[in-house]
Amino acid sequence: MTGRHRDGQPYASVYQRVWDGPARAEAERLDQAWADWTVLYSLGKRVFYAVASWDGPQLVVVEDVTSEGLEERMQDAEMVRLLQTTPTPRGGEERSPVESRDRGTAGPQDRGPAGRRRSSPGGRAA
C-alpha cells in the first residue's frame, strides 16, 4: 500500500486555500455587530444571509449580494417587527368619515349630491 496518507508516513503540509476571505470576514463582522441576527456567507451562491434570532410566528431570513444591502434588509425587517409589535391606541385604528372619503373607500351615503344624480334618457343629468 502506497500513498501520502498511509500509516507511518510523515505529516505533509498542504496549502489551504481560503475562498472569498474578505466576504467571509465581513460576514463575521456583521455577525458580531448585530446581536439579534446570525449572519452567514454562502460560498456556493456568493450571497450574504442573515437569520433573525427573535421569537416570532415565522422564521425571518434576509439575503443580499453585498454586506451593505444585507444591513439595509436587516434594518427593514427590524422596522417591520417593531411596527407589528407596537400596540395601537384604543385597541384598533378608527378612521373618521373624512379620512375614509380621502382614501377612496366612500360608501353610497358619502358620495354627496353628485353621486345621487340619475341620468335622463338623453344622457343629461336631471
Side-chain angles (χ1 to χ4, degrees):
M1 183 173 192
T2 61
R4 191 158 78 175
H5 300 291
R6 188 177 58 169
D7 288 338
Q9 289 291 345
Y11 175 75
S13 167
V14 178
Y15 173 73
Q16 181 180 1
R17 171 168 250 172
V18 178
W19 297 95
D20 289 338
R24 292 169 71 184
E26 183 66 15
E28 182 65 29
R29 183 193 69 78
L30 290 174
D31 188 47
Q32 292 175 0
W34 291 78
D36 290 341
W37 295 86
T38 300
V39 179
L40 310 164
Y41 180 73
S42 170
L43 289 173
K45 291 186 175 186
R46 295 202 159 107
V47 173
F48 290 92
Y49 291 95
V51 181
S53 60
W54 60 69
D55 290 332
Q58 293 180 336
L59 180 66
V60 178
V61 180
V62 293
E63 66 180 75
D64 202 283
V65 294
T66 65
S67 61
E68 294 83 11
L70 183 73
E71 284 188 289
E72 289 176 16
R73 291 181 186 269
M74 292 162 63
Q75 289 172 348
D76 291 344
E78 286 189 349
M79 185 60 66
V80 168
R81 175 185 175 220
L82 180 67
L83 292 174
Q84 288 175 346
T85 59
T86 303
T88 57
R90 293 181 287 174
E93 182 179 329
E94 295 179 11
R95 293 184 189 163
S96 68
V98 174
E99 287 179 67
S100 65
R101 260 187 267 139
D102 291 342
R103 293 188 178 259
T105 58
Q109 71 278 7
D110 293 335
R111 290 187 186 158
R116 289 190 287 266
R117 289 187 191 147
R118 297 181 189 234
S119 61
S120 64
R124 290 185 173 167

